[in-house]
Amino acid sequence: MRQPLYLNLEEARAVLAEMGIELSERQIKRAAEMDPHGRRKLPFFIDPIDGKLKIEKQALIGAYLKRQVQAARNLRPK
C-alpha cells in the first residue's frame, strides 16, 4: 500500500509547477480558502497537529487529472 505524502501550500505549489501549472502564492492560498459554503477549490485540510493547511499529493494531482478527463469528455464532435 502506498504511503500518503502530505504537502503544505508551498510544496503543493511546487508540485503544480513541475506539472507546468505556475501559480502565484496568492492563487494557491485562494484555492485553499473556504467559500461561504465551507468548500475549497482543492482538497486542502487543516492538519490536526500543527494547525496548518495540508493536501495529499495524489489528491492534488488527481484533482487536475479529473478536470482534464471532464474537459476531454466535453469536446464537441467534429
Side-chain angles (χ1 to χ4, degrees), residues 12-32:
R13 190 170 155 221
V15 167
L16 292 174
E18 290 173 9
M19 294 170 53
I21 303 163
E22 297 286 337
L23 297 178
S24 69
E25 187 176 327
R26 179 69 185 131
Q27 286 173 311
I28 195 76
K29 283 183 181 179
R30 288 194 67 202

Side-chain angles (χ1 to χ4, degrees), residues 1-76:
M1 185 174 164
R2 175 184 64 78
Q3 277 291 86
L5 176 62
Y6 296 105
L7 309 171
N8 63 29
L9 287 170
E10 272 308 305
E11 292 166 337
R13 190 170 155 221
V15 167
L16 292 174
E18 290 173 9
M19 294 170 53
I21 303 163
E22 297 286 337
L23 297 178
S24 69
E25 187 176 327
R26 179 69 185 131
Q27 286 173 311
I28 195 76
K29 283 183 181 179
R30 288 194 67 202
E33 291 174 351
M34 285 189 181
D35 68 9
H37 304 288
R39 296 178 298 208
R40 301 177 194 276
K41 290 181 182 179
L42 292 173
F44 281 92
F45 64 94
I46 297 176
D47 185 303
I49 296 172
D50 67 10
K52 295 181 181 180
L53 284 170
K54 300 282 174 98
I55 189 170
E56 204 276 324
K57 184 177 181 179
Q58 289 305 313
L60 175 63
I61 293 169
Y64 275 84
L65 293 176
K66 180 179 174 184
R67 292 296 176 120
Q68 180 182 354
V69 168
Q70 287 174 347
R73 287 184 183 153
N74 289 332
L75 285 176
R76 284 183 272 155

